[in-house]
Amino acid sequence: MSMSTPSTAPAPSPGVILTGDRPTGPLHLGHYVGSLCNRVKFQHTHRQFIMLADAQALTDNMDDTGKVHRNVMEVALDYLAAGIDPSLSTILIQSQIPELAELTFYYLNLVTVARLERNPTVKQEIALRGFERDIPAGFLTYPASQAADITAFKATLVPVGEDQIPMIEQTNEIVRRFNRVAGREVLVEAKALVPEVGRLPGIDGKAKMSKSLGNTINLGASADEIRAAVKKIYTDPLHLRVADPGHLEGNVAFIYLDAFDPDQAGLAEMKAHYVRGGLADSLVKARLEACLQELIGPIRTRREALAQDRGHVLDLLRAGTAAAREVAARTADEVKAALGLRYF
Amino acid sequence: MSMSTPSTAPAPSPGVILTGDRPTGPLHLGHYVGSLCNRVKFQHTHRQFIMLADAQALTDNMDDTGKVHRNVMEVALDYLAAGIDPSLSTILIQSQIPELAELTFYYLNLVTVARLERNPTVKQEIALRGFERDIPAGFLTYPASQAADITAFKATLVPVGEDQIPMIEQTNEIVRRFNRVAGREVLVEAKALVPEVGRLPGIDGKAKMSKSLGNTINLGASADEIRAAVKKIYTDPLHLRVADPGHLEGNVAFIYLDAFDPDQAGLAEMKAHYVRGGLADSLVKARLEACLQELIGPIRTRREALAQDRGHVLDLLRAGTAAAREVAARTADEVKAALGLRYF
């Protein structure tokens, strides 16, 4: 049977995405803006793997392995509640795919110690965690592990912050080196996908929303927790009386409204009023609280419902991990065959 | 049915041995004296795993991966020809057991970079290979990989040269650290088993018999190769005329006779004659050649017969590897469970 084909060629495949989180705590609004929203969009247009990086999280949590275990379920609940659809995205648990460790093992032969030590992201994280000379080796070799994760799924796009771009470059160096050893294109290079939306500050005005700073609003926050957080939110320290002109720069209430208020025209009017003077912080906060209650309410409700049937969530994780493992095992096979490690 | 038990308690289990070779070339008399002979003995009294460390061999052979692949079969032939019995010893191919890479991955969190850099064996090998700052990361992290190999099989005894003792200490440090994290004795410590027989020198008198120095006699050597090697063998440079008194120290012909001559009484007489003077080197060499032909002849014959049916050898390797993998997978499961990485 012959059919006339449409004149336009089929669109090229938009690519494979690898993304994920270290399960060390519940996800918050920072994750929502910075990555979850994009994942919910991309799952309709891209093949998307979302990794619960539990093995990676152990690197600096060997003193509290239980935390990592518990948070695999918590983060999975956050994913599903926020709209990640396991029939569109493949959610996987890193530690359940031994092939990722295998690839890491071989990639360690393709990168020198000096090169790892020069990696700016590694350098920065070492400083941040105060490791200095007592870095666990697994921390130094993290770029090889990340290269394993990315290449195992032949990911071509990796959503990362600007500061993580050197990690993707490191992966691509390993890819090129491996392909040179193999004498053919076994692995594919990946591109960093830097989100347009900047990082969401913490409710205290600090640059980063982070569990350890206690300045987050979690995706599972109760109505009371949202209310309390908005009450504490950092606004304009110079805006002492209602009549005073207010400032928008660094004003977290307005930064959040920019991110979450669906009525941006109404928000623009409110901003103008605030800058002129005569608008109380309490009114700005009331608007923000309404937005956040509306955003988080349905997520929390879905989350609570899902949490009632953790067995079902585990089934989803099991299925996603099995599907992902098939892909990773195929890559590990190709990699090992290219290294002459196929005998039977 | 009740039976009276003998009064002596059953002997305690003599332990589990892990041993093996990097398959980068055929085995030679140095391997025979230093390890193969012991393995043939130990396989009757111990549970013995013999690992073809192909993954490890890649660390410094990424430029010639075919060499490693080919030598897995060659070394397996050497093993079988030398008397390793696959029904008594478990021969395994390292790369075919992904759990070894998994364990390596987790152990990297239990050792610092500074500690790896202080490892004397690593230091020495880095100097030997001229790597300096450009060491492949896989080379620095080798002790974690070795710890994975040893602990995967719960080995309690590891035959190594004196210079490798720090590697076993490093493994035991990882074992203790892991057990502390786990809060119980998941892994077992191993002891170095240093062979009584010293290292066999090369035929040129150099301290070590080594393929790269071209001073070996391989286990698969032909009668002509043996003859040629013995002809070139280093004896006593001061023993110029037959009548001259000869020296035994550093005299490789006599060192080999010490190791291989079944008639040690006859050998003692010959030594006395040599030291007195009046015994030609050619007679010493004739005696040595006869010994070596008698030793290697049957090994070569068995090797040639085995090489006729490589499919059978592969079947043996497949079965050994599968049996070993079961043990390693059980350990990896225990390790991951202890780290909270069991979900399903």
XYZ file of all heavy atoms in Angstrom, chain B residues 63-100:
288
model
N 45.123 2.063 25.414
C 45.622 2.214 24.041
C 45.730 0.868 23.334
O 46.027 0.822 22.133
C 46.997 2.895 24.062
C 47.974 2.165 24.978
O 47.504 1.408 25.861
O 49.189 2.334 24.813
N 45.521 -0.235 24.038
C 45.619 -1.551 23.398
C 44.666 -2.520 24.101
O 45.087 -3.479 24.748
C 47.066 -2.054 23.439
C 47.259 -3.297 22.569
O 46.280 -3.725 21.897
O 48.371 -3.853 22.558
N 43.367 -2.241 23.943
C 42.370 -3.046 24.642
C 42.319 -4.465 24.071
O 41.967 -5.404 24.770
C 40.981 -2.395 24.539
O 40.635 -2.265 23.154
C 40.969 -1.017 25.169
N 42.710 -4.614 22.793
C 42.717 -5.944 22.171
C 43.678 -6.886 22.885
O 43.410 -8.086 23.021
N 44.773 -6.346 23.382
C 45.765 -7.154 24.092
C 45.128 -7.799 25.327
O 45.344 -8.985 25.594
C 46.953 -6.269 24.505
C 48.030 -7.008 25.261
C 49.242 -6.133 25.538
C 49.044 -5.264 26.757
N 50.237 -4.456 27.104
N 44.376 -7.023 26.044
C 43.732 -7.536 27.255
C 42.729 -8.635 26.876
O 42.712 -9.711 27.476
C 43.042 -6.395 28.039
C 42.262 -6.942 29.230
C 44.076 -5.363 28.492
N 41.918 -8.366 25.862
C 40.928 -9.352 25.433
C 41.598 -10.690 25.078
O 41.196 -11.745 25.563
C 40.148 -8.827 24.226
C 39.123 -9.797 23.722
N 37.836 -9.820 24.198
C 39.200 -10.807 22.819
C 37.167 -10.796 23.600
N 37.973 -11.405 22.764
N 42.628 -10.624 24.237
C 43.299 -11.860 23.799
C 43.891 -12.628 24.974
O 43.842 -13.849 25.026
C 44.453 -11.528 22.836
C 44.035 -11.205 21.424
C 45.258 -11.132 20.506
N 46.315 -10.242 21.014
C 46.322 -8.919 20.845
N 45.326 -8.314 20.214
N 47.313 -8.191 21.323
N 44.465 -11.889 25.913
C 45.195 -12.562 26.985
C 44.295 -13.183 28.046
O 44.770 -13.985 28.850
C 46.224 -11.614 27.596
C 47.480 -11.571 26.741
O 48.152 -12.585 26.577
N 47.760 -10.426 26.135
N 43.015 -12.835 28.047
C 42.104 -13.539 28.951
C 42.116 -15.024 28.592
O 42.259 -15.902 29.462
C 40.677 -12.938 28.875
C 39.644 -13.897 29.431
C 40.640 -11.618 29.636
N 42.009 -15.330 27.317
C 42.037 -16.734 26.880
C 43.421 -17.349 27.115
O 43.542 -18.473 27.597
C 41.636 -16.811 25.403
C 41.770 -18.181 24.765
S 40.865 -19.532 25.622
C 39.183 -19.233 25.062
N 44.486 -16.598 26.804
C 45.840 -17.149 26.948
C 46.132 -17.498 28.415
O 46.673 -18.571 28.703
C 46.889 -16.147 26.431
C 46.805 -15.878 24.937
C 46.823 -17.158 24.101
O 47.666 -18.028 24.381
O 45.969 -17.290 23.194
N 45.768 -16.595 29.310
C 46.050 -16.849 30.730
C 45.160 -17.991 31.240
O 45.607 -18.828 32.031
C 45.881 -15.562 31.571
C 46.009 -15.859 33.060
C 46.908 -14.515 31.145
N 43.921 -18.048 30.745
C 43.054 -19.166 31.150
C 43.676 -20.495 30.712
O 43.670 -21.472 31.469
C 41.659 -18.995 30.548
N 44.228 -20.523 29.511
C 44.907 -21.740 29.046
C 46.092 -22.075 29.948
O 46.311 -23.239 30.308
C 45.373 -21.564 27.593
C 44.260 -21.561 26.528
C 44.817 -21.123 25.161
C 43.610 -22.941 26.407
N 46.838 -21.045 30.327
C 47.967 -21.268 31.242
C 47.484 -21.865 32.565
O 48.100 -22.792 33.099
C 48.700 -19.947 31.520
C 49.540 -19.489 30.326
O 49.983 -20.351 29.540
O 49.745 -18.275 30.185
N 46.401 -21.302 33.100
C 45.868 -21.798 34.368
C 45.552 -23.288 34.280
O 45.993 -24.095 35.105
C 44.548 -21.088 34.718
C 44.679 -19.679 35.242
C 43.543 -18.876 35.362
C 45.900 -19.141 35.633
C 43.629 -17.580 35.848
C 45.984 -17.839 36.110
C 44.844 -17.070 36.211
O 44.921 -15.795 36.692
N 44.754 -23.622 33.282
C 44.277 -25.001 33.173
C 45.443 -25.943 32.918
O 45.536 -27.021 33.511
C 43.235 -25.096 32.061
C 41.967 -24.241 32.292
C 41.123 -24.205 31.030
C 41.162 -24.778 33.475
N 46.365 -25.515 32.041
C 47.513 -26.370 31.708
C 48.402 -26.589 32.926
O 48.987 -27.653 33.103
C 48.298 -25.738 30.561
N 48.472 -25.564 33.805
C 49.354 -25.666 34.972
C 48.715 -26.455 36.106
O 49.349 -26.693 37.127
C 49.744 -24.270 35.449
N 47.454 -26.822 35.945
C 46.847 -27.688 36.951
C 45.750 -27.055 37.775
O 45.275 -27.656 38.747
N 45.336 -25.840 37.432
C 44.158 -25.280 38.103
C 42.956 -26.089 37.621
O 42.735 -26.240 36.412
C 43.962 -23.796 37.740
C 45.178 -22.962 38.115
C 42.681 -23.258 38.393
C 45.438 -22.825 39.590
N 42.213 -26.617 38.576
C 41.081 -27.484 38.253
C 39.785 -26.700 38.472
O 39.462 -26.349 39.607
C 41.140 -28.704 39.175
C 39.974 -29.658 38.947
O 38.974 -29.256 38.309
O 40.071 -30.804 39.445
N 39.062 -26.429 37.403
C 37.863 -25.577 37.544
C 36.757 -26.217 38.381
O 35.806 -25.530 38.748
C 37.403 -25.350 36.101
C 38.099 -26.371 35.288
C 39.328 -26.797 36.026
N 36.916 -27.489 38.721
C 35.924 -28.060 39.632
C 36.325 -27.806 41.090
O 35.541 -27.994 42.008
C 35.749 -29.563 39.378
O 36.874 -30.269 39.872
N 37.564 -27.365 41.296
C 38.037 -27.053 42.652
C 38.207 -25.558 42.872
O 37.972 -25.038 43.968
C 39.374 -27.761 42.917
C 39.373 -29.295 42.846
C 40.800 -29.834 42.973
C 38.482 -29.876 43.946
N 38.652 -24.845 41.822
C 38.849 -23.394 41.896
C 37.790 -22.717 41.041
O 37.346 -23.280 40.044
C 40.234 -23.013 41.343
O 41.260 -23.510 42.160
N 37.392 -21.519 41.430
C 36.434 -20.762 40.629
C 37.191 -19.710 39.828
O 37.710 -18.752 40.397
C 35.393 -20.078 41.534
O 34.791 -21.085 42.366
C 34.313 -19.386 40.720
N 37.276 -19.922 38.522
C 37.957 -18.948 37.659
C 36.909 -17.975 37.127
O 35.875 -18.396 36.601
C 38.675 -19.635 36.488
C 39.589 -20.760 37.000
C 39.467 -18.622 35.671
C 40.275 -21.555 35.883
N 37.171 -16.683 37.278
C 36.176 -15.687 36.873
C 36.808 -14.565 36.056
O 37.995 -14.281 36.203
C 35.513 -15.080 38.109
C 36.449 -14.361 39.084
C 36.070 -12.893 39.191
C 36.387 -15.028 40.453
N 35.979 -13.955 35.212
C 36.423 -12.787 34.447
C 35.842 -11.537 35.111
O 34.631 -11.355 35.175
C 35.969 -12.867 32.981
C 36.450 -14.171 32.335
C 36.485 -11.664 32.198
C 36.041 -14.327 30.879
N 36.729 -10.691 35.609
C 36.324 -9.526 36.408
C 35.265 -8.656 35.733
O 34.271 -8.285 36.356
C 37.573 -8.688 36.699
C 37.357 -7.523 37.648
C 38.599 -6.637 37.734
O 39.368 -6.532 36.790
N 38.786 -6.007 38.877
N 35.456 -8.344 34.471
C 34.556 -7.395 33.794
C 33.137 -7.925 33.649
O 32.213 -7.161 33.389
C 35.095 -7.058 32.404
O 35.004 -8.205 31.568
N 32.956 -9.223 33.811
C 31.634 -9.799 33.617
C 30.830 -9.826 34.921
O 29.755 -10.404 34.981
C 31.745 -11.214 33.019
C 32.574 -11.272 31.735
C 32.070 -10.336 30.649
O 30.941 -10.453 30.182
N 32.890 -9.353 30.261
N 31.379 -9.197 35.945
C 30.692 -9.135 37.239
C 30.516 -7.663 37.615
O 31.346 -7.077 38.317
C 31.490 -9.920 38.314
C 31.686 -11.362 37.834
C 30.783 -9.865 39.667
C 32.324 -12.294 38.824
N 29.417 -7.055 37.143
C 29.205 -5.612 37.353
C 29.196 -5.243 38.831
O 29.508 -4.107 39.184
C 27.833 -5.340 36.739
C 27.533 -6.512 35.867
C 28.315 -7.673 36.403
N 28.870 -6.196 39.685
C 28.814 -5.911 41.120
C 30.179 -5.477 41.652
O 30.239 -4.770 42.672
C 28.309 -7.144 41.883
C 26.833 -7.454 41.678
C 26.500 -8.159 40.354
O 27.456 -8.542 39.630
O 25.309 -8.317 40.045
N 31.254 -5.887 40.987
C 32.580 -5.449 41.441
C 32.741 -3.948 41.221
O 33.309 -3.241 42.066
C 33.681 -6.238 40.713
C 33.646 -7.761 40.947
C 34.711 -8.453 40.104
C 33.820 -8.089 42.428
